[in-house]
Amino acid sequence: MNDFYTDGIHQNQCLFVTHIVPAALLSSLLMIFIMCLHRLNATFTVKKRILTVLTNDVAIGLGFLFSHVYYLFRCVLEFVDNVQRVEFPCSPKYNTQKRFLFYADVMHALFVTMIACCYIAVIIRMIRNRKKDNGIESLSELQIYQQRIRELRMRYNMITLSCIILITACSVLPRTIFALYINITGTLNGDIVRATNNMLLLNPLIDPFIYIFRIKEVRRQVICRCFRSNQTTPATTMIQPTNISTTVGKSTVPKQCKTAPTS
């Protein structure tokens, strides 16, 4: 794979990899955009139908298929038409060429921009809703309590989403900006290209830790899976949710962990 400028079967493998990676990245950006739309829909008292449709499971599945089919189709065209493509797909010159920039990097930058705009819209709506709620003085204590719970949950979700968006921007934008610089100036630095390509891995490497430390349900499930081997509960039983905790060794395992019945 170090023979960037040597002809061989590995060049076709590089051609496939350089298309499947941006497909996975675009699918990831699409999922984050849908998360932002879901949070935006949660700021409305009556859910917007168009936002509900765009954030349902069918839309998520179609978005995943679209991103991969789109890049796979172009990969097939590049594979068939050897004359029009750059001679060595393994070389840094291939994934910084103008055609690759427009069909991959520009689309990624566009989705990052859409995510940021949607995120700003959510924050603005949250601030407006809070001002409206502060003007209502006829709420009961229960309604005030429920309102505070919703605000805390929304604020917690927004902090989590902020971390995800920040990591995504730091992962995607450096490569896009440097690719634009290469096409404007005509200077190519292979080491910087490989460094910006490797930065794309920040998103999948760091996001799982954000989910574990920020999302209570994911954190609970991780604890359940880690200490499952220490539990003596039969597989055919279901433990009812409770607030009581049981100590296993020196760790605390929630009794909320449910073991699915075996067939």
Side-chain angles (χ1 to χ4, degrees), residues 19-246:
H19 283 80
I20 198 67
V21 169
L25 180 59
L26 180 61
S27 179
S28 174
L29 293 174
L30 185 61
M31 296 305 108
I32 297 175
F33 182 60
I34 290 176
M35 289 170 59
C36 290
L37 291 179
H38 187 271
R39 290 297 159 214
L40 179 62
N41 202 18
T43 62
F44 293 96
T45 305
V46 179
K47 306 301 182 199
K48 300 297 181 181
R49 184 172 181 179
I50 184 172
L51 293 178
T52 303
V53 171
L54 291 175
T55 56
N56 62 21
D57 294 340
V58 176
I60 293 173
L62 291 177
F64 177 83
L65 289 176
F66 166 76
S67 59
H68 286 77
V69 170
Y70 170 70
Y71 285 99
L72 181 61
F73 178 72
R74 189 183 187 280
C75 179
V76 172
L77 291 180
E78 289 266 332
F79 181 79
V80 173
D81 195 1
N82 291 328
V83 178
Q84 296 296 326
R85 79 182 191 199
V86 173
E87 186 176 2
F88 301 116
C90 286
S91 66
K93 183 180 179 181
Y94 178 81
N95 56 29
T96 55
Q97 61 178 311
K98 187 176 296 184
R99 288 190 303 166
F100 196 93
L101 174 69
F102 279 107
Y103 98 92
D105 294 281
V106 170
M107 182 170 289
H108 295 161
L110 177 63
F111 265 91
V112 171
T113 304
M114 291 166 53
I115 289 169
C117 292
C118 185
Y119 178 67
I120 293 173
V122 172
I123 294 178
I124 293 174
R125 286 200 55 79
M126 286 178 59
I127 295 174
R128 289 180 177 177
N129 289 341
R130 183 177 299 176
K131 290 180 178 179
K132 290 180 181 179
D133 293 336
N134 291 338
I136 300 176
E137 300 178 355
S138 58
L139 297 178
S140 63
E141 292 185 1
L142 177 60
Q143 290 175 325
I144 294 174
Y145 174 77
Q146 292 174 342
Q147 178 183 321
R148 290 178 178 175
I149 292 296
R150 286 195 300 268
E151 288 180 357
L152 287 174
R153 186 183 297 116
M154 178 65 75
R155 184 183 306 172
Y156 194 84
N157 290 336
M158 290 307 302
I159 294 174
T160 304
L161 194 56
S162 301
C163 297
I164 296 173
I165 293 173
L166 181 62
I167 294 299
T168 301
C170 294
S171 173
V172 174
L173 293 182
R175 178 190 146 72
T176 304
I177 294 172
F178 189 69
L180 286 172
Y181 172 80
I182 291 173
N183 282 272
I184 292 173
T185 62
T187 58
L188 175 64
N189 188 316
D191 292 334
I192 298 180
V193 171
R194 285 187 287 272
T196 54
N197 288 342
N198 289 332
M199 288 184 69
L200 297 175
L201 297 175
L202 288 176
N203 203 26
L205 285 176
I206 298 179
D207 277 0
F209 294 98
I210 296 176
Y211 298 144
I212 290 172
F213 290 113
R214 295 295 306 172
I215 302 178
K216 183 177 180 181
E217 178 63 21
V218 176
R219 187 167 59 249
R220 185 181 67 81
Q221 290 295 338
V222 169
I223 294 174
C224 292
R225 298 298 186 272
C226 290
F227 295 100
R228 174 175 287 181
S229 59
N230 295 330
Q231 297 180 22
T232 58
T233 306
T236 55
T237 61
M238 299 288 287
I239 300 177
Q240 297 297 328
T242 179
N243 293 326
I244 303 175
S245 299
T246 178

